Amino acid sequence: MTEPRPAFTSFRDRLLKRQRLFGTFLKLPTTQVIEMLGPIGYDFIIIDQEHAPLDRAMTDLMILAARASNIAPLVRIPEFTDANILSALDCGAMGIMVPHVTSVERAKAIVRASRYAGGTRGFAGLTRASNWGKVGATGHMAQQDSQVAVVAMIEDQHAIDKAGDIARVEGIDAIFVGRGDLTASFGVDPEAATKVAEISGRVAAMARDADTPLMMLPTSKADFGFVSDLGATAMVLASDHGFIRSAAGAALKDYTS
């Protein structure tokens, strides 16, 4: 008999314990994909406001679908502002992913915006995050501070040397190495892949020294081995766009070859 998947509310605890977790980016403005991914066994999804046309209303519905499907909803906000973080968390996100974290000061500001105790997160008592007031104000604040995960993306060359200090900021729960942006930053350099692999190793080592979990996006089975060896335990597998393109291409090839 298959063991039931842990509750979506345990995502941060499982992340900090370095349990193997699998998720994916979601860019399509729909709930149906999430309803499919939950029963399949994915642990988390990342609602991608940075690179997809997902407004607050659609994000709210996608978070609802994820919670109903027992899959932890994270939101990659388009940019760091207190309002962007508050919006995602009040809707019930169990974590936020922030792009282009390039300094300790920025990392500390992100944590402050995400926390009640010692932070600046605005309070609202009747939200999905508070189970519509069921747990009470103090219970809600304590629960959110213990359950919401904060993931900082290292994806700029000038942030690499600061990655260790960023990872050590109290309240940064994981580091995500953004290899896509790092690769793009090298332009047409034929050695870009090699350089990004070396950078990934450096950032991973800094995260390990800071005792901060590592999240990465493997691009193949071989790459999965590479990022696993670096110490990544939270794996982001492609995206809904990628899954559709891959499956559609494979189906067409089956019938035309």
Side-chain angles (χ1 to χ4, degrees), residues 177-217:
V177 184
R179 292 187 290 172
D181 276 22
L182 284 168
T183 301
S185 72
F186 286 104
V188 297
D189 185 343
E191 299 299 318
T194 300
K195 291 178 179 178
V196 171
E198 187 271 334
I199 288 169
S200 299
R202 287 172 56 197
V203 174
M206 286 186 267
R208 185 166 53 251
D209 289 345
D211 195 28
T212 299
L214 184 66
M215 180 182 290
M216 294 189 72
L217 191 157

PDB file of all heavy atoms in Angstrom, residues 177-217:
ATOM      1  N   VAL A 177      19.962  27.868  -7.513  1.00  0.00           N
ATOM      2  CA  VAL A 177      20.947  28.339  -8.481  1.00  0.00           C
ATOM      3  C   VAL A 177      20.239  28.507  -9.826  1.00  0.00           C
ATOM      4  O   VAL A 177      19.809  27.525 -10.438  1.00  0.00           O
ATOM      5  CB  VAL A 177      22.122  27.358  -8.621  1.00  0.00           C
ATOM      6  CG1 VAL A 177      23.174  27.939  -9.568  1.00  0.00           C
ATOM      7  CG2 VAL A 177      22.738  27.061  -7.259  1.00  0.00           C
ATOM      8  N   GLY A 178      20.130  29.747 -10.296  1.00  0.00           N
ATOM      9  CA  GLY A 178      19.448  30.024 -11.554  1.00  0.00           C
ATOM     10  C   GLY A 178      20.406  29.891 -12.729  1.00  0.00           C
ATOM     11  O   GLY A 178      20.964  30.880 -13.234  1.00  0.00           O
ATOM     12  N   ARG A 179      20.567  28.670 -13.192  1.00  0.00           N
ATOM     13  CA  ARG A 179      21.557  28.428 -14.244  1.00  0.00           C
ATOM     14  C   ARG A 179      21.133  29.007 -15.587  1.00  0.00           C
ATOM     15  O   ARG A 179      21.988  29.292 -16.434  1.00  0.00           O
ATOM     16  CB  ARG A 179      21.838  26.925 -14.363  1.00  0.00           C
ATOM     17  CG  ARG A 179      22.551  26.358 -13.140  1.00  0.00           C
ATOM     18  CD  ARG A 179      22.962  24.907 -13.347  1.00  0.00           C
ATOM     19  NE  ARG A 179      21.814  24.012 -13.370  1.00  0.00           N
ATOM     20  CZ  ARG A 179      21.884  22.716 -13.681  1.00  0.00           C
ATOM     21  NH1 ARG A 179      23.064  22.183 -14.010  1.00  0.00           N
ATOM     22  NH2 ARG A 179      20.803  21.956 -13.681  1.00  0.00           N
ATOM     23  N   GLY A 180      19.838  29.185 -15.800  1.00  0.00           N
ATOM     24  CA  GLY A 180      19.381  29.765 -17.059  1.00  0.00           C
ATOM     25  C   GLY A 180      19.880  31.186 -17.237  1.00  0.00           C
ATOM     26  O   GLY A 180      20.493  31.534 -18.265  1.00  0.00           O
ATOM     27  N   ASP A 181      19.642  32.039 -16.240  1.00  0.00           N
ATOM     28  CA  ASP A 181      20.096  33.426 -16.329  1.00  0.00           C
ATOM     29  C   ASP A 181      21.615  33.519 -16.323  1.00  0.00           C
ATOM     30  O   ASP A 181      22.206  34.354 -17.017  1.00  0.00           O
ATOM     31  CB  ASP A 181      19.517  34.246 -15.181  1.00  0.00           C
ATOM     32  CG  ASP A 181      18.117  34.762 -15.479  1.00  0.00           C
ATOM     33  OD1 ASP A 181      17.436  34.174 -16.343  1.00  0.00           O
ATOM     34  OD2 ASP A 181      17.700  35.746 -14.855  1.00  0.00           O
ATOM     35  N   LEU A 182      22.260  32.665 -15.538  1.00  0.00           N
ATOM     36  CA  LEU A 182      23.719  32.690 -15.501  1.00  0.00           C
ATOM     37  C   LEU A 182      24.293  32.322 -16.863  1.00  0.00           C
ATOM     38  O   LEU A 182      25.228  32.962 -17.353  1.00  0.00           O
ATOM     39  CB  LEU A 182      24.236  31.721 -14.435  1.00  0.00           C
ATOM     40  CG  LEU A 182      24.106  32.197 -12.988  1.00  0.00           C
ATOM     41  CD1 LEU A 182      24.375  31.053 -12.021  1.00  0.00           C
ATOM     42  CD2 LEU A 182      25.059  33.363 -12.706  1.00  0.00           C
ATOM     43  N   THR A 183      23.718  31.309 -17.498  1.00  0.00           N
ATOM     44  CA  THR A 183      24.191  30.914 -18.826  1.00  0.00           C
ATOM     45  C   THR A 183      23.969  32.032 -19.830  1.00  0.00           C
ATOM     46  O   THR A 183      24.856  32.354 -20.642  1.00  0.00           O
ATOM     47  CB  THR A 183      23.472  29.635 -19.291  1.00  0.00           C
ATOM     48  OG1 THR A 183      23.726  28.582 -18.350  1.00  0.00           O
ATOM     49  CG2 THR A 183      23.964  29.201 -20.672  1.00  0.00           C
ATOM     50  N   ALA A 184      22.787  32.647 -19.786  1.00  0.00           N
ATOM     51  CA  ALA A 184      22.480  33.739 -20.710  1.00  0.00           C
ATOM     52  C   ALA A 184      23.441  34.912 -20.530  1.00  0.00           C
ATOM     53  O   ALA A 184      23.766  35.614 -21.495  1.00  0.00           O
ATOM     54  CB  ALA A 184      21.038  34.194 -20.517  1.00  0.00           C
ATOM     55  N   SER A 185      23.916  35.102 -19.299  1.00  0.00           N
ATOM     56  CA  SER A 185      24.803  36.239 -19.034  1.00  0.00           C
ATOM     57  C   SER A 185      26.148  36.106 -19.736  1.00  0.00           C
ATOM     58  O   SER A 185      26.864  37.090 -19.905  1.00  0.00           O
ATOM     59  CB  SER A 185      25.025  36.405 -17.521  1.00  0.00           C
ATOM     60  OG  SER A 185      25.849  35.372 -17.002  1.00  0.00           O
ATOM     61  N   PHE A 186      26.493  34.898 -20.179  1.00  0.00           N
ATOM     62  CA  PHE A 186      27.748  34.686 -20.896  1.00  0.00           C
ATOM     63  C   PHE A 186      27.582  34.832 -22.409  1.00  0.00           C
ATOM     64  O   PHE A 186      28.560  34.686 -23.161  1.00  0.00           O
ATOM     65  CB  PHE A 186      28.322  33.308 -20.567  1.00  0.00           C
ATOM     66  CG  PHE A 186      28.923  33.208 -19.191  1.00  0.00           C
ATOM     67  CD1 PHE A 186      28.248  32.555 -18.169  1.00  0.00           C
ATOM     68  CD2 PHE A 186      30.156  33.773 -18.916  1.00  0.00           C
ATOM     69  CE1 PHE A 186      28.795  32.460 -16.896  1.00  0.00           C
ATOM     70  CE2 PHE A 186      30.712  33.689 -17.640  1.00  0.00           C
ATOM     71  CZ  PHE A 186      30.024  33.029 -16.628  1.00  0.00           C
ATOM     72  N   GLY A 187      26.361  35.098 -22.842  1.00  0.00           N
ATOM     73  CA  GLY A 187      26.130  35.334 -24.262  1.00  0.00           C
ATOM     74  C   GLY A 187      26.514  34.145 -25.120  1.00  0.00           C
ATOM     75  O   GLY A 187      26.124  33.013 -24.853  1.00  0.00           O
ATOM     76  N   VAL A 188      27.314  34.411 -26.159  1.00  0.00           N
ATOM     77  CA  VAL A 188      27.695  33.363 -27.114  1.00  0.00           C
ATOM     78  C   VAL A 188      28.997  32.660 -26.727  1.00  0.00           C
ATOM     79  O   VAL A 188      29.560  31.906 -27.519  1.00  0.00           O
ATOM     80  CB  VAL A 188      27.821  33.943 -28.540  1.00  0.00           C
ATOM     81  CG1 VAL A 188      26.478  34.478 -29.019  1.00  0.00           C
ATOM     82  CG2 VAL A 188      28.888  35.047 -28.578  1.00  0.00           C
ATOM     83  N   ASP A 189      29.458  32.896 -25.520  1.00  0.00           N
ATOM     84  CA  ASP A 189      30.693  32.268 -25.055  1.00  0.00           C
ATOM     85  C   ASP A 189      30.566  30.746 -25.161  1.00  0.00           C
ATOM     86  O   ASP A 189      29.687  30.140 -24.524  1.00  0.00           O
ATOM     87  CB  ASP A 189      30.945  32.667 -23.602  1.00  0.00           C
ATOM     88  CG  ASP A 189      32.276  32.162 -23.070  1.00  0.00           C
ATOM     89  OD1 ASP A 189      32.863  31.260 -23.688  1.00  0.00           O
ATOM     90  OD2 ASP A 189      32.710  32.670 -22.018  1.00  0.00           O
ATOM     91  N   PRO A 190      31.397  30.073 -25.943  1.00  0.00           N
ATOM     92  CA  PRO A 190      31.298  28.615 -26.102  1.00  0.00           C
ATOM     93  C   PRO A 190      31.603  27.852 -24.813  1.00  0.00           C
ATOM     94  O   PRO A 190      31.285  26.672 -24.698  1.00  0.00           O
ATOM     95  CB  PRO A 190      32.315  28.293 -27.200  1.00  0.00           C
ATOM     96  CG  PRO A 190      33.292  29.427 -27.150  1.00  0.00           C
ATOM     97  CD  PRO A 190      32.492  30.633 -26.765  1.00  0.00           C
ATOM     98  N   GLU A 191      32.227  28.543 -23.855  1.00  0.00           N
ATOM     99  CA  GLU A 191      32.563  27.907 -22.586  1.00  0.00           C
ATOM    100  C   GLU A 191      31.512  28.192 -21.511  1.00  0.00           C
ATOM    101  O   GLU A 191      31.742  27.905 -20.332  1.00  0.00           O
ATOM    102  CB  GLU A 191      33.925  28.417 -22.100  1.00  0.00           C
ATOM    103  CG  GLU A 191      35.078  28.104 -23.041  1.00  0.00           C
ATOM    104  CD  GLU A 191      35.260  26.602 -23.212  1.00  0.00           C
ATOM    105  OE1 GLU A 191      35.162  25.875 -22.208  1.00  0.00           O
ATOM    106  OE2 GLU A 191      35.479  26.172 -24.366  1.00  0.00           O
ATOM    107  N   ALA A 192      30.370  28.734 -21.917  1.00  0.00           N
ATOM    108  CA  ALA A 192      29.352  29.138 -20.946  1.00  0.00           C
ATOM    109  C   ALA A 192      28.909  27.976 -20.058  1.00  0.00           C
ATOM    110  O   ALA A 192      28.818  28.113 -18.830  1.00  0.00           O
ATOM    111  CB  ALA A 192      28.153  29.732 -21.672  1.00  0.00           C
ATOM    112  N   ALA A 193      28.632  26.827 -20.663  1.00  0.00           N
ATOM    113  CA  ALA A 193      28.151  25.680 -19.886  1.00  0.00           C
ATOM    114  C   ALA A 193      29.169  25.249 -18.839  1.00  0.00           C
ATOM    115  O   ALA A 193      28.823  24.950 -17.684  1.00  0.00           O
ATOM    116  CB  ALA A 193      27.809  24.523 -20.816  1.00  0.00           C
ATOM    117  N   THR A 194      30.435  25.228 -19.239  1.00  0.00           N
ATOM    118  CA  THR A 194      31.493  24.840 -18.309  1.00  0.00           C
ATOM    119  C   THR A 194      31.613  25.849 -17.178  1.00  0.00           C
ATOM    120  O   THR A 194      31.772  25.476 -16.003  1.00  0.00           O
ATOM    121  CB  THR A 194      32.840  24.736 -19.044  1.00  0.00           C
ATOM    122  OG1 THR A 194      32.725  23.750 -20.080  1.00  0.00           O
ATOM    123  CG2 THR A 194      33.960  24.349 -18.093  1.00  0.00           C
ATOM    124  N   LYS A 195      31.516  27.126 -17.514  1.00  0.00           N
ATOM    125  CA  LYS A 195      31.631  28.174 -16.499  1.00  0.00           C
ATOM    126  C   LYS A 195      30.468  28.118 -15.519  1.00  0.00           C
ATOM    127  O   LYS A 195      30.651  28.285 -14.307  1.00  0.00           O
ATOM    128  CB  LYS A 195      31.700  29.547 -17.176  1.00  0.00           C
ATOM    129  CG  LYS A 195      32.996  29.773 -17.939  1.00  0.00           C
ATOM    130  CD  LYS A 195      33.011  31.124 -18.650  1.00  0.00           C
ATOM    131  CE  LYS A 195      34.328  31.339 -19.385  1.00  0.00           C
ATOM    132  NZ  LYS A 195      34.363  32.621 -20.123  1.00  0.00           N
ATOM    133  N   VAL A 196      29.263  27.862 -16.031  1.00  0.00           N
ATOM    134  CA  VAL A 196      28.088  27.801 -15.151  1.00  0.00           C
ATOM    135  C   VAL A 196      28.158  26.560 -14.260  1.00  0.00           C
ATOM    136  O   VAL A 196      27.755  26.599 -13.096  1.00  0.00           O
ATOM    137  CB  VAL A 196      26.789  27.845 -15.971  1.00  0.00           C
ATOM    138  CG1 VAL A 196      25.571  27.553 -15.092  1.00  0.00           C
ATOM    139  CG2 VAL A 196      26.637  29.215 -16.637  1.00  0.00           C
ATOM    140  N   ALA A 197      28.690  25.477 -14.777  1.00  0.00           N
ATOM    141  CA  ALA A 197      28.864  24.273 -13.953  1.00  0.00           C
ATOM    142  C   ALA A 197      29.821  24.560 -12.798  1.00  0.00           C
ATOM    143  O   ALA A 197      29.587  24.144 -11.649  1.00  0.00           O
ATOM    144  CB  ALA A 197      29.381  23.118 -14.799  1.00  0.00           C
ATOM    145  N   GLU A 198      30.879  25.301 -13.098  1.00  0.00           N
ATOM    146  CA  GLU A 198      31.851  25.653 -12.053  1.00  0.00           C
ATOM    147  C   GLU A 198      31.212  26.594 -11.033  1.00  0.00           C
ATOM    148  O   GLU A 198      31.404  26.442  -9.814  1.00  0.00           O
ATOM    149  CB  GLU A 198      33.073  26.305 -12.701  1.00  0.00           C
ATOM    150  CG  GLU A 198      34.227  26.577 -11.744  1.00  0.00           C
ATOM    151  CD  GLU A 198      34.137  27.943 -11.072  1.00  0.00           C
ATOM    152  OE1 GLU A 198      33.524  28.847 -11.669  1.00  0.00           O
ATOM    153  OE2 GLU A 198      34.667  28.098  -9.953  1.00  0.00           O
ATOM    154  N   ILE A 199      30.439  27.552 -11.519  1.00  0.00           N
ATOM    155  CA  ILE A 199      29.736  28.479 -10.621  1.00  0.00           C
ATOM    156  C   ILE A 199      28.761  27.715  -9.731  1.00  0.00           C
ATOM    157  O   ILE A 199      28.668  27.969  -8.522  1.00  0.00           O
ATOM    158  CB  ILE A 199      28.982  29.546 -11.438  1.00  0.00           C
ATOM    159  CG1 ILE A 199      29.972  30.526 -12.069  1.00  0.00           C
ATOM    160  CG2 ILE A 199      27.977  30.301 -10.559  1.00  0.00           C
ATOM    161  CD1 ILE A 199      29.348  31.460 -13.095  1.00  0.00           C
ATOM    162  N   SER A 200      28.045  26.775 -10.318  1.00  0.00           N
ATOM    163  CA  SER A 200      27.084  25.983  -9.553  1.00  0.00           C
ATOM    164  C   SER A 200      27.778  25.244  -8.419  1.00  0.00           C
ATOM    165  O   SER A 200      27.262  25.172  -7.295  1.00  0.00           O
ATOM    166  CB  SER A 200      26.369  24.980 -10.464  1.00  0.00           C
ATOM    167  OG  SER A 200      25.649  25.635 -11.486  1.00  0.00           O
ATOM    168  N   GLY A 201      28.948  24.700  -8.715  1.00  0.00           N
ATOM    169  CA  GLY A 201      29.714  24.015  -7.683  1.00  0.00           C
ATOM    170  C   GLY A 201      30.131  24.949  -6.565  1.00  0.00           C
ATOM    171  O   GLY A 201      30.070  24.588  -5.378  1.00  0.00           O
ATOM    172  N   ARG A 202      30.539  26.159  -6.936  1.00  0.00           N
ATOM    173  CA  ARG A 202      30.945  27.142  -5.917  1.00  0.00           C
ATOM    174  C   ARG A 202      29.781  27.539  -5.040  1.00  0.00           C
ATOM    175  O   ARG A 202      29.891  27.592  -3.801  1.00  0.00           O
ATOM    176  CB  ARG A 202      31.530  28.381  -6.600  1.00  0.00           C
ATOM    177  CG  ARG A 202      32.905  28.178  -7.202  1.00  0.00           C
ATOM    178  CD  ARG A 202      33.318  29.390  -8.025  1.00  0.00           C
ATOM    179  NE  ARG A 202      33.274  30.631  -7.241  1.00  0.00           N
ATOM    180  CZ  ARG A 202      33.272  31.846  -7.776  1.00  0.00           C
ATOM    181  NH1 ARG A 202      33.308  31.980  -9.104  1.00  0.00           N
ATOM    182  NH2 ARG A 202      33.253  32.907  -7.013  1.00  0.00           N
ATOM    183  N   VAL A 203      28.632  27.842  -5.662  1.00  0.00           N
ATOM    184  CA  VAL A 203      27.459  28.250  -4.889  1.00  0.00           C
ATOM    185  C   VAL A 203      26.983  27.104  -4.005  1.00  0.00           C
ATOM    186  O   VAL A 203      26.607  27.306  -2.842  1.00  0.00           O
ATOM    187  CB  VAL A 203      26.331  28.730  -5.822  1.00  0.00           C
ATOM    188  CG1 VAL A 203      25.058  29.021  -5.024  1.00  0.00           C
ATOM    189  CG2 VAL A 203      26.763  29.986  -6.580  1.00  0.00           C
ATOM    190  N   ALA A 204      26.992  25.892  -4.541  1.00  0.00           N
ATOM    191  CA  ALA A 204      26.577  24.730  -3.758  1.00  0.00           C
ATOM    192  C   ALA A 204      27.470  24.554  -2.536  1.00  0.00           C
ATOM    193  O   ALA A 204      26.990  24.243  -1.433  1.00  0.00           O
ATOM    194  CB  ALA A 204      26.605  23.477  -4.629  1.00  0.00           C
ATOM    195  N   ALA A 205      28.766  24.738  -2.715  1.00  0.00           N
ATOM    196  CA  ALA A 205      29.698  24.611  -1.596  1.00  0.00           C
ATOM    197  C   ALA A 205      29.428  25.676  -0.540  1.00  0.00           C
ATOM    198  O   ALA A 205      29.487  25.393   0.674  1.00  0.00           O
ATOM    199  CB  ALA A 205      31.136  24.717  -2.100  1.00  0.00           C
ATOM    200  N   MET A 206      29.116  26.885  -0.982  1.00  0.00           N
ATOM    201  CA  MET A 206      28.809  27.960  -0.034  1.00  0.00           C
ATOM    202  C   MET A 206      27.513  27.670   0.713  1.00  0.00           C
ATOM    203  O   MET A 206      27.406  27.923   1.917  1.00  0.00           O
ATOM    204  CB  MET A 206      28.741  29.298  -0.770  1.00  0.00           C
ATOM    205  CG  MET A 206      30.098  29.840  -1.174  1.00  0.00           C
ATOM    206  SD  MET A 206      30.018  31.509  -1.899  1.00  0.00           S
ATOM    207  CE  MET A 206      29.888  31.108  -3.640  1.00  0.00           C
ATOM    208  N   ALA A 207      26.520  27.145   0.012  1.00  0.00           N
ATOM    209  CA  ALA A 207      25.263  26.784   0.670  1.00  0.00           C
ATOM    210  C   ALA A 207      25.498  25.679   1.693  1.00  0.00           C
ATOM    211  O   ALA A 207      24.955  25.712   2.805  1.00  0.00           O
ATOM    212  CB  ALA A 207      24.232  26.350  -0.371  1.00  0.00           C
ATOM    213  N   ARG A 208      26.317  24.712   1.316  1.00  0.00           N
ATOM    214  CA  ARG A 208      26.625  23.608   2.238  1.00  0.00           C
ATOM    215  C   ARG A 208      27.345  24.132   3.482  1.00  0.00           C
ATOM    216  O   ARG A 208      27.017  23.737   4.609  1.00  0.00           O
ATOM    217  CB  ARG A 208      27.478  22.572   1.508  1.00  0.00           C
ATOM    218  CG  ARG A 208      27.762  21.313   2.306  1.00  0.00           C
ATOM    219  CD  ARG A 208      28.315  20.205   1.417  1.00  0.00           C
ATOM    220  NE  ARG A 208      29.477  20.628   0.632  1.00  0.00           N
ATOM    221  CZ  ARG A 208      29.460  20.823  -0.683  1.00  0.00           C
ATOM    222  NH1 ARG A 208      28.347  20.658  -1.375  1.00  0.00           N
ATOM    223  NH2 ARG A 208      30.565  21.184  -1.326  1.00  0.00           N
ATOM    224  N   ASP A 209      28.308  25.030   3.299  1.00  0.00           N
ATOM    225  CA  ASP A 209      29.031  25.594   4.435  1.00  0.00           C
ATOM    226  C   ASP A 209      28.107  26.400   5.342  1.00  0.00           C
ATOM    227  O   ASP A 209      28.332  26.479   6.557  1.00  0.00           O
ATOM    228  CB  ASP A 209      30.172  26.486   3.943  1.00  0.00           C
ATOM    229  CG  ASP A 209      31.313  25.685   3.320  1.00  0.00           C
ATOM    230  OD1 ASP A 209      31.341  24.452   3.520  1.00  0.00           O
ATOM    231  OD2 ASP A 209      32.149  26.294   2.626  1.00  0.00           O
ATOM    232  N   ALA A 210      27.067  27.002   4.741  1.00  0.00           N
ATOM    233  CA  ALA A 210      26.112  27.791   5.516  1.00  0.00           C
ATOM    234  C   ALA A 210      25.004  26.926   6.104  1.00  0.00           C
ATOM    235  O   ALA A 210      24.140  27.436   6.820  1.00  0.00           O
ATOM    236  CB  ALA A 210      25.496  28.869   4.626  1.00  0.00           C
ATOM    237  N   ASP A 211      25.018  25.620   5.795  1.00  0.00           N
ATOM    238  CA  ASP A 211      23.989  24.679   6.239  1.00  0.00           C
ATOM    239  C   ASP A 211      22.602  25.106   5.748  1.00  0.00           C
ATOM    240  O   ASP A 211      21.617  25.040   6.474  1.00  0.00           O
ATOM    241  CB  ASP A 211      23.993  24.552   7.766  1.00  0.00           C
ATOM    242  CG  ASP A 211      23.207  23.334   8.244  1.00  0.00           C
ATOM    243  OD1 ASP A 211      23.122  22.349   7.486  1.00  0.00           O
ATOM    244  OD2 ASP A 211      22.670  23.379   9.369  1.00  0.00           O
ATOM    245  N   THR A 212      22.570  25.514   4.482  1.00  0.00           N
ATOM    246  CA  THR A 212      21.321  25.949   3.859  1.00  0.00           C
ATOM    247  C   THR A 212      20.988  25.005   2.702  1.00  0.00           C
ATOM    248  O   THR A 212      21.854  24.734   1.865  1.00  0.00           O
ATOM    249  CB  THR A 212      21.456  27.388   3.334  1.00  0.00           C
ATOM    250  OG1 THR A 212      21.751  28.256   4.440  1.00  0.00           O
ATOM    251  CG2 THR A 212      20.176  27.858   2.666  1.00  0.00           C
ATOM    252  N   PRO A 213      19.755  24.504   2.645  1.00  0.00           N
ATOM    253  CA  PRO A 213      19.368  23.578   1.568  1.00  0.00           C
ATOM    254  C   PRO A 213      19.547  24.192   0.185  1.00  0.00           C
ATOM    255  O   PRO A 213      19.470  25.413   0.002  1.00  0.00           O
ATOM    256  CB  PRO A 213      17.888  23.297   1.867  1.00  0.00           C
ATOM    257  CG  PRO A 213      17.759  23.509   3.338  1.00  0.00           C
ATOM    258  CD  PRO A 213      18.684  24.650   3.649  1.00  0.00           C
ATOM    259  N   LEU A 214      19.757  23.301  -0.784  1.00  0.00           N
ATOM    260  CA  LEU A 214      19.985  23.706  -2.166  1.00  0.00           C
ATOM    261  C   LEU A 214      18.856  23.180  -3.040  1.00  0.00           C
ATOM    262  O   LEU A 214      18.486  22.012  -2.960  1.00  0.00           O
ATOM    263  CB  LEU A 214      21.322  23.139  -2.648  1.00  0.00           C
ATOM    264  CG  LEU A 214      21.795  23.532  -4.047  1.00  0.00           C
ATOM    265  CD1 LEU A 214      22.110  25.024  -4.106  1.00  0.00           C
ATOM    266  CD2 LEU A 214      23.030  22.705  -4.423  1.00  0.00           C
ATOM    267  N   MET A 215      18.332  24.066  -3.884  1.00  0.00           N
ATOM    268  CA  MET A 215      17.282  23.715  -4.837  1.00  0.00           C
ATOM    269  C   MET A 215      17.823  23.965  -6.238  1.00  0.00           C
ATOM    270  O   MET A 215      18.436  25.002  -6.491  1.00  0.00           O
ATOM    271  CB  MET A 215      16.032  24.569  -4.577  1.00  0.00           C
ATOM    272  CG  MET A 215      14.858  24.297  -5.506  1.00  0.00           C
ATOM    273  SD  MET A 215      13.416  25.382  -5.173  1.00  0.00           S
ATOM    274  CE  MET A 215      12.865  24.753  -3.592  1.00  0.00           C
ATOM    275  N   MET A 216      17.610  23.012  -7.157  1.00  0.00           N
ATOM    276  CA  MET A 216      18.091  23.185  -8.524  1.00  0.00           C
ATOM    277  C   MET A 216      17.128  22.559  -9.521  1.00  0.00           C
ATOM    278  O   MET A 216      16.243  21.777  -9.148  1.00  0.00           O
ATOM    279  CB  MET A 216      19.503  22.596  -8.692  1.00  0.00           C
ATOM    280  CG  MET A 216      20.567  23.329  -7.890  1.00  0.00           C
ATOM    281  SD  MET A 216      22.274  22.823  -8.249  1.00  0.00           S
ATOM    282  CE  MET A 216      22.513  23.541  -9.886  1.00  0.00           C
ATOM    283  N   LEU A 217      17.319  22.918 -10.785  1.00  0.00           N
ATOM    284  CA  LEU A 217      16.494  22.401 -11.867  1.00  0.00           C
ATOM    285  C   LEU A 217      17.358  21.515 -12.764  1.00  0.00           C
ATOM    286  O   LEU A 217      18.125  22.019 -13.579  1.00  0.00           O
ATOM    287  CB  LEU A 217      15.878  23.545 -12.675  1.00  0.00           C
ATOM    288  CG  LEU A 217      14.791  23.206 -13.694  1.00  0.00           C
ATOM    289  CD1 LEU A 217      13.923  24.429 -13.985  1.00  0.00           C
ATOM    290  CD2 LEU A 217      15.375  22.687 -15.019  1.00  0.00           C
TER     291      LEU A 217
END
